[in-house]
Amino acid sequence: MKCPKCESENIKVVDSRNADNINAVRRRRECENCGERFSTLERIEGIQPQVIKKDGTRQEFSRDKLLAGLNASCSKRPVTTKQLTDICNEVENMIAGKASREISTTEIGEYVMTRLYKIDKVAYVRFASVYKDFTDPNSFAHEVQKMNDQK
Ligand SMILES: [Zn+2]
């Protein structure tokens, strides 16, 4: 490993601690050449977080896809990018906190819906309508009714 500032390879570890919420170790490092301090995150290699879909198949978790879904649901709504990236971070932490490094689409969906419900009701219904795959118009009406009751 090289110093990000001077590219020296004389790096010492100043401090090591378990990273919050994730199965990883964060190390504070210092360059013995120029004194630059930086941190590294060490995690188990080869275990990419997996999402288990409703049909039982797995695919690699994609933060980009989740964010794209959130952006679509929040289009033209008073929701900040920060609020959406926070949700993505929380979901990533949820997965990282699991020993299996696996999460079901249901878990992600339910969590995101809970968060959006508090942020913006329209975004919530949009997300829910895609996520829950409404085939029954009554269940959609029920969601809208629940939304109106909150007003
Ligand atoms: Zn350096």
Side-chain angles (χ1 to χ4, degrees):
M1 187 176 297
K2 290 178 178 177
C3 167
K5 200 171 166 191
C6 73
E7 300 199 340
S8 161
E9 289 186 14
N10 284 324
I11 310 293
K12 70 174 177 188
V13 174
V14 184
D15 181 40
S16 294
R17 66 178 63 186
N18 286 324
D20 293 335
N21 302 324
I22 58 176
N23 188 13
V25 174
R26 203 179 292 282
R27 300 189 200 282
R28 283 297 287 165
R29 293 171 185 266
E30 188 179 305
C31 172
E32 297 197 291
N33 182 45
C34 74
E36 176 76 0
R37 286 188 162 213
F38 56 98
S39 22
T40 55
L41 190 65
E42 180 182 308
R43 52 171 69 195
I44 300 163
E45 193 175 19
I47 308 178
Q48 282 303 309
Q50 301 285 311
V51 176
I52 306 165
K53 296 197 285 186
K54 280 181 187 152
D55 64 6
T57 58
R58 286 171 165 73
Q59 67 179 52
E60 216 162 274
F61 170 72
S62 164
R63 182 194 169 99
D64 290 343
K65 271 192 202 164
L66 177 59
L67 192 57
L70 287 169
N71 272 322
S73 302
C74 297
S75 166
K76 299 194 175 119
R77 297 301 305 163
V79 180
T80 65
T81 305
K82 166 99 171 51
Q83 286 173 309
L84 299 185
T85 52
D86 280 351
I87 294 177
C88 288
N89 291 341
E90 288 157 19
V91 170
E92 279 184 329
N93 284 336
M94 273 169 67
I95 305 170
K98 291 170 177 285
S100 63
R101 311 269 287 153
E102 287 179 344
I103 195 165
S104 65
T105 49
T106 312
E107 267 180 286
I108 295 178
E110 299 287 333
Y111 182 78
V112 170
M113 283 193 288
T114 309
R115 295 286 277 109
L116 282 182
Y117 191 82
K118 289 177 194 151
I119 295 170
D120 187 273
K121 301 289 188 283
V122 172
Y124 161 77
V125 170
R126 284 181 187 161
F127 184 88
S129 67
V130 174
Y131 169 73
K132 283 188 173 169
D133 212 6
F134 287 114
T135 48
D136 171 12
N138 292 325
S139 61
F140 188 77
H142 178 69
E143 293 297 329
V144 175
Q145 185 59 50
K146 256 178 24 192
M147 199 177 73
N148 290 335
D149 289 347
Q150 295 280 325
K151 278 180 187 161

